[in-house]
Amino acid sequence: MAQRYNFREAEQKWQSVWDRDGTFSVTTDQDKPKYYVLEMFPYPSGRIHMGHLRCYTLGDVVARYKRSQGFNVLHPMGWDAFGLPAENAAMEKNVHPASWTYQNIATMREQLRAMGLSIDWSREIATCDPDYYRHEQALFIDFLEKDLVYRQDGWVNWDPVDHTVLANEQVIDGKGWRSGAPIERRRLAQWFCRITNYSDELLEGLGTLDRWPPKVRAMQENWIGRSEGAYISFAFTGDDREEALRVYTTRPDTIFGASFCAIAADHPLAEELAAGNAKVAAFIEECRQLGTSEEAIQTAEKRGYDTGLRVAHPFIPGRELPVFIANFVLMGYGTGAIFGCPAHDQRDLDFAHTYDLPVLPVVVPADQDPASFAVGDDAYTGPGALANSAFLDGLDVDAAKREIIGRLEDMGQGEGAVNYRLRDWLVSRQRYWGCPIPVIHCNSCGNVPVPKDSLPVILPEDIDFESAGNPLDRHPTWKHVDCPSCGAPAERDTDTFDTFMDSSWYFARFCSPEADQPVNPEDVEYWLPVDQYIGGIEHAILHLLYSRFFMRAMRDTGHIDLAEPFAGLFTQGMVNHATFRDERGEWLEPQSVEQDDSGATVRRDNGAPVTVGRIEKMSKSKKNTIDPTDVIRDYGADTARWFILSDSPPDRDMEWTDSGVQGAFRFVNRVARLVMENADALPPAGTAPDGNDEASLKLRREVHRGIADVTSDLERFQYNRAVARLYELTNVISTAVKSVSPDGASLREALETLIRLIAPMMPHLAEEMWHTLGQSDYLCVVSWPVADQNLLVTDSVTYAIQVNGKLRGTVDLPAGVERDAAEEAARAVPNVAESIGEKDIRKVIFVPEKLVNFVV
């Protein structure tokens, strides 16, 4: 009886061998082409999940494939280890965040190792390690000296549950991105990165990222939000104010349709009015509770407060416009003030209807009469000609914009301008478990950076989590220091960095993780940019945009000569699973249900009926998760990897099913049997195939076609197609072994090629079978097979012959055969002739090189 493949033994053996020999450790080598593949590093929550399994499997296929092509491959791993979950766990479980984090790292490291990833573990980093974050602090000081960061007192997004401020990008639908709590507005002194300094460069750089998904580039472009418009100054009337109200608009062409002006609740004028008017103050406070997201503003009722102030229309003598404080105007965009043209902006129109303000159309569609055209409940935002606009009448929108801007500039009441939706990145957080901000506040000297030779500023270990808020702020000793400049008593900054600061440059640190500076220039010049970055599309704005800023800031402070950190980006889909509920509507785990003899889904423990719900993203809340470690334990890492790759295109969502895993497991064992049952009968390793018989040539053609197809699929990230092609090749080899008897050297070539092609996907099985075939080198360092072009040129093609779409036989025909000859040969196939009989052939479908289908 043939030996059985012991996946547990094989996987443990080869993982130990790779670790012992440092197989995947690399160094900078200018004589070899480099390839840097990186998956977004995980947060150490304590368990890997199916999203990790999919992401890291995809990356490992890239790494192993590129290594076999002769590249010097950097494939590192680290931990995004700061953040609120550790701090919350400290409060809930009475453990220190560091203990909780490092224990989780140790657990997850072993789980990832069990996947057989070709990781250079010698480069492992954790962002909570002072050896890492001291360099982040040094970078911040360099940014501060270059005026790329600044501290400012202003209104910020406050999460009332997590007790910290959030950047605009971390407010999702008006709620905190982690807590889900409605965001409040508070006024605090905070640190900001000047990401807006690079607005144009970040926007233009998207045009060079041709290996990024178009969707991600579009998301960043929309977030940066470049708009061309004009600043307009509206003079106050009936008031002794000398300073005009300055607004920004993208539609200066609609100025003759203006019926009001509005300012944000945070506008200096609004704050001035609130100081002496309780009703104004109350309305402003109401606005601050609304939220800051575009969706919240879009869907909320448009409300305003008439300040009683009036401004003069710049082109209509005697026309005055009321000035409102409005809940749909944000201080963070433009000047925090607008003019409202209700006919051509939906928010303005809703506001005008609420406060009975005039609605005058000034842009009229080409097929409408200006005298009768009116706007009802929907603003008109399309193209047209100007009307009711004095000297602009008859112009199209673009021409009208140019004309009005020119007139404003001549009058000294405005100018053309470019504006951006992007705001500077707020990086202060009022939490303990984060990188301390290396600044000391002195009453005499102001904000003084910590001297670099005193870095790192290390978090204190004796922390009190009993009270809400920032533990560093109430620590009895840690924050009290002397000023580095004057020696007077001073205080440390008690905020810590947003964790996105930690992840915005970690990929650069991987290039030289032991360097005594943030990066070693020689190493980053060699390794960067990352050739293939892999992760979820949910990071399209936050992490990816911040990283692009960070590289530019590091470039401008002399650390690196690079603007774009990631040359290629791939965003994988989610892993889904069916959901289950019991009779009470409670969620059930997949492991607790089964199918009974009738095929009904029931509880495993008592046979009670179970309702099968929708297939959804795996989540703890709905209990539809599968633990990857259980799958690896029961079926092996190669099985898990193979199923992950085979189910669907990697950029789309996939469904995890027990039947799919079991099918992958059967294939693993099938490949192993195919090799083990034939290995002893093969000629020695290295024997070149020389058989010229038909069976051997046919097998070799299929093998080399498989090489070409799988190579093409791997290059294009079409892993599920590569898997399908390998299933086909396995079938071909199995059939050859059973029935056509190719020569031994051709069979060896076929088996060795199959193993080499599956190696990036199922590395343990491949390595074990490679040695079963008598090879002595490690397969992971063997070069990728190259298809023999002569064997890809075939003299004949196998056609499938169908009748009414049902397969009735096959026939081998010369390559390039004419249609008539193919039809004649197809008719002669016995089953085909019998199926057609005396019936009339209504149509013949001919697909060159593939099939002939008779429709009768």
Side-chain angles (χ1 to χ4, degrees):
M1 181 177 295
Q3 175 188 358
R4 291 181 60 83
Y5 175 60
N6 187 328
F7 70 86
R8 292 187 182 91
E9 182 180 288
E11 292 184 358
Q12 291 175 5
K13 177 179 75 175
W14 289 111
Q15 288 167 19
S16 296
V17 168
W18 297 329
D19 286 346
R20 181 197 68 202
D21 295 348
T23 304
F24 307 118
S25 296
V26 292
T27 58
T28 298
D29 185 349
Q30 300 292 347
D31 294 329
K32 291 185 67 176
K34 68 92 180 180
Y35 197 91
Y36 187 176
V37 57
L38 182 66
E39 306 92 336
M40 294 179 185
F41 65 170
Y43 180 79
S45 60
R47 305 291 297 178
I48 64 170
H49 53 67
M50 280 300 173
H52 293 134
L53 181 63
R54 192 177 198 193
C55 181
Y56 300 132
T57 296
L58 296 176
D60 199 50
V61 172
V62 176
R64 289 178 177 274
Y65 170 65
K66 289 297 182 180
R67 192 177 290 109
S68 69
Q69 289 191 313
F71 287 94
N72 191 25
V73 174
L74 174 57
H75 187 206
M77 178 64 70
W79 309 96
D80 194 7
F82 273 135
L84 281 171
E87 196 162 329
N88 292 337
M91 291 184 280
E92 294 169 8
K93 302 177 182 180
N94 196 29
V95 296
H96 194 278
S99 300
W100 185 84
T101 299
Y102 280 109
Q103 181 179 344
N104 288 348
I105 287 175
T107 300
M108 291 180 66
R109 183 190 299 116
E110 292 310 305
Q111 293 170 339
L112 292 175
R113 283 181 178 273
M115 289 176 59
L117 303 176
S118 58
I119 296 291
D120 181 355
W121 287 102
S122 69
R123 294 173 182 261
E124 181 182 7
I125 58 176
T127 59
C128 65
D129 186 338
D131 283 341
Y132 177 83
Y133 69 70
R134 74 181 176 100
H135 298 294
E136 187 173 314
Q137 292 171 340
L139 288 171
F140 177 83
I141 292 171
D142 289 342
F143 294 178
L144 183 60
E145 292 176 353
K146 195 73 172 179
D147 195 29
L148 293 174
V149 296
Y150 63 95
R151 196 167 190 257
Q152 178 174 285
D153 188 32
W155 291 99
V156 297
N157 306 307
W158 179 262
D159 188 316
V161 171
D162 287 338
H163 300 284
T164 186
V165 299
L166 299 177
N168 290 338
E169 293 87 349
Q170 293 167 315
V171 179
I172 311 300
D173 299 336
K175 299 177 181 179
W177 73 300
R178 284 192 183 275
S179 70
I183 292 302
E184 300 172 0
R185 300 286 282 169
R186 288 195 180 184
R187 195 174 185 89
L188 294 171
Q190 300 289 283
W191 288 99
F192 295 83
C193 288
R194 294 190 190 276
I195 191 172
T196 56
N197 279 18
Y198 300 95
S199 296
D200 271 331
E201 188 179 344
L202 289 167
L203 194 60
E204 292 167 2
L206 292 172
T208 69
L209 301 176
D210 54 357
R211 290 180 50 227
W212 279 39
K215 181 178 180 181
V216 174
R217 285 182 287 163
M219 291 169 71
Q220 289 209 2
E221 181 177 352
N222 292 335
W223 188 261
I224 296 168
R226 185 182 190 276
S227 63
E228 295 186 5
Y231 289 113
I232 304 177
S233 295
F234 288 83
F236 286 96
T237 63
D239 191 271
D240 58 359
R241 297 174 184 275
E242 295 183 2
E243 188 173 345
L245 179 65
R246 186 170 169 84
V247 309
Y248 174 76
T249 177
T250 60
R251 293 296 305 272
D253 55 299
T254 65
I255 186 64
F256 283 92
S259 60
F260 67 94
C261 285
I263 60 176
D266 297 341
H267 194 281
L269 176 58
E271 295 182 344
E272 174 194 327
L273 296 173
N277 188 318
K279 290 184 179 180
V280 174
F283 179 75
I284 289 174
E285 184 58 33
E286 179 185 325
C287 291
R288 288 173 182 158
Q289 301 306 314
L290 174 63
T292 60
S293 73
E294 290 187 4
E295 182 175 345
I297 292 170
Q298 190 73 28
T299 57
E301 178 187 0
K302 307 303 179 289
R303 300 193 64 241
Y305 184 94
D306 189 343
T307 65
L309 298 174
R310 298 293 183 266
V311 293
H313 193 290
F315 295 104
I316 305 177
R319 172 75 62 84
E320 292 185 344
L321 305 178
V323 179
F324 287 82
I325 302 170
N327 65 355
F328 64 92
V329 182
L330 290 177
M331 193 62 208
Y333 181 75
T335 64
I338 66 163
F339 79 76
C341 178
H344 304 294
D345 182 279
Q346 192 62 44
R347 289 188 293 191
D348 294 352
L349 181 62
D350 295 341
F351 189 80
H353 285 164
T354 300
Y355 294 98
D356 196 25
L357 298 169
V359 178
L360 176 67
V362 292
V363 178
V364 179
D367 59 350
Q368 296 288 324
D369 182 356
S372 59
F373 179 68
V375 168
D377 293 333
D378 298 315
Y380 178 69
T381 58
L386 272 290
N388 304 314
S389 298
F391 54 83
L392 297 179
D393 284 354
L395 298 178
D396 63 29
V397 169
D398 289 339
K401 286 181 179 180
R402 292 191 295 270
E403 178 65 24
I404 205 73
I405 289 172
R407 298 235 181 178
L408 286 167
E409 291 174 345
D410 291 342
M411 296 162 55
Q413 282 192 250
E415 68 274 351
V418 173
N419 217 314
Y420 298 89
R421 179 176 179 266
L422 181 66
R423 301 295 92 194
D424 279 342
W425 173 19
L426 193 162
V427 296
S428 303
R429 298 295 180 268
Q430 292 67 45
R431 305 301 296 182
Y432 164 73
W433 192 236
C435 173
I437 296 177
V439 173
I440 293 169
H441 301 293
C442 175
N443 289 333
S444 300
C445 305
N447 303 323
V448 182
V450 173
K452 286 188 177 180
D453 59 7
S454 297
L455 299 178
V457 177
I458 298 178
L459 291 168
E461 295 187 5
D462 54 333
I463 285 297
D464 170 26
F465 288 108
E466 294 301 318
S467 304
N470 184 1
L472 293 175
D473 198 40
R474 58 178 181 267
H475 193 279
T477 60
W478 181 82
K479 67 179 181 180
H480 300 292
V481 294
D482 292 337
C483 173
S485 294
C486 70
E491 289 189 356
R492 293 190 189 280
D493 197 308
T494 57
D495 288 349
T496 54
F497 283 136
D498 176 10
T499 56
F500 281 102
M501 285 279 285
D502 312 330
S503 60
S504 292
W505 73 286
Y506 78 106
F507 45 86
R509 185 64 183 170
F510 274 138
C511 298
S512 46
E514 303 297 329
D516 197 34
Q517 53 190 325
V519 293
N520 183 320
E522 179 185 357
D523 292 321
V524 293
E525 182 180 357
Y526 176 73
W527 288 114
L528 289 179
V530 175
D531 296 282
Q532 187 63 65
Y533 201 34
I534 302 171
I537 199 169
E538 66 271 17
H539 297 293
I541 300 300
L542 295 167
H543 165 58
L544 291 170
L545 187 60
Y546 293 155
S547 296
R548 296 181 65 219
F549 157 75
F550 229 85
M551 285 299 95
R552 287 163 169 82
M554 290 180 70
R555 175 199 65 193
D556 291 349
T557 50
H559 291 281
I560 203 167
D561 186 17
L562 183 74
E564 294 297 344
F566 313 118
L569 173 68
F570 187 87
T571 55
Q572 84 277 5
M574 296 183 295
V575 183
N576 301 328
H577 197 286
T579 52
F580 306 99
R581 290 180 186 264
D582 63 16
E583 292 177 306
R584 297 175 299 172
E586 300 291 330
W587 298 107
L588 297 172
E589 296 177 344
Q591 298 90 331
S592 64
V593 305
E594 64 182 3
Q595 289 189 325
D596 62 17
D597 294 339
S598 68
T601 303
V602 298
R603 289 186 60 130
R604 190 181 298 274
D605 55 357
N606 60 18
V610 169
T611 300
V612 181
R614 293 191 306 173
I615 297 168
E616 299 186 37
K617 176 187 176 181
M618 289 188 181
S619 68
K620 292 179 181 179
S621 62
K622 296 184 179 178
K623 295 187 177 180
N624 64 332
T625 60
I626 299 291
D627 192 332
T629 57
D630 292 342
V631 178
I632 292 171
R633 178 197 64 213
D634 296 338
Y635 296 99
D638 285 335
T639 293
R641 292 167 61 117
W642 186 255
F643 179 54
I644 280 284
L645 296 166
S646 66
D647 183 75
S648 60
D651 59 336
R652 299 181 190 173
D653 293 352
M654 66 166 290
E655 180 186 358
W656 187 273
T657 63
D658 290 342
S659 59
V661 175
Q662 291 161 6
F665 184 63
R666 287 193 296 271
F667 181 71
V668 168
N669 286 279
R670 181 186 177 195
V671 171
R673 285 196 305 273
L674 185 60
V675 173
M676 292 189 296
E677 291 174 357
N678 292 281
D680 291 342
L682 298 175
T687 304
D690 58 0
N692 293 315
D693 58 285
E694 183 178 348
S696 298
L697 286 174
K698 185 174 182 179
L699 175 61
R700 295 196 67 210
R701 289 192 184 102
E702 289 296 330
V703 166
H704 284 263
R705 190 175 296 116
I707 294 173
D709 291 346
V710 171
T711 302
S712 175
D713 291 336
L714 294 186
E715 288 286 350
R716 295 180 294 172
F717 255 95
Q718 295 177 333
Y719 292 163
N720 60 311
R721 291 186 53 167
V723 166
R725 187 67 185 90
L726 288 167
Y727 273 120
E728 293 176 5
L729 182 57
T730 303
N731 290 337
V732 167
I733 298 173
S734 297
T735 300
V737 167
K738 294 176 182 177
S739 58
V740 299
S741 301
D743 71 275
S746 296
L747 180 57
R748 169 175 281 280
E749 179 192 41
L751 291 171
E752 288 184 353
T753 300
L754 174 65
I755 296 308
R756 291 165 71 184
L757 293 178
I758 67 171
M761 307 175 190
M762 297 193 287
H764 312 89
L765 172 67
E767 201 74 69
E768 185 72 12
M769 294 304 103
W770 183 248
H771 286 77
T772 299
L773 289 170
Q775 298 287 352
S776 57
D777 293 337
Y778 292 159
L779 180 54
C780 59
V781 298
V782 171
S783 61
W784 188 253
V786 177
D788 185 334
Q789 296 299 312
N790 292 324
L791 292 171
L792 298 182
V793 179
T794 58
D795 297 327
S796 64
V797 177
T798 300
Y799 276 76
I801 313 303
Q802 300 176 346
V803 177
N804 289 339
K806 293 184 178 180
L807 184 66
R808 296 303 182 185
T810 61
V811 63
D812 289 337
L813 298 174
V817 66
E818 295 291 335
R819 177 183 182 128
D820 291 344
E823 287 185 25
E824 183 179 349
R827 288 172 184 266
V829 175
N831 284 348
V832 174
E834 183 178 334
S835 296
I836 295 175
E838 300 299 323
K839 301 171 187 173
D840 293 332
I841 298 175
R842 294 188 291 119
K843 182 168 63 171
V844 179
I845 300 172
F846 174 71
V847 181
E849 313 292 311
K850 289 188 177 180
L851 70 84
V852 178
N853 180 21
F854 296 99
V855 180
V856 298

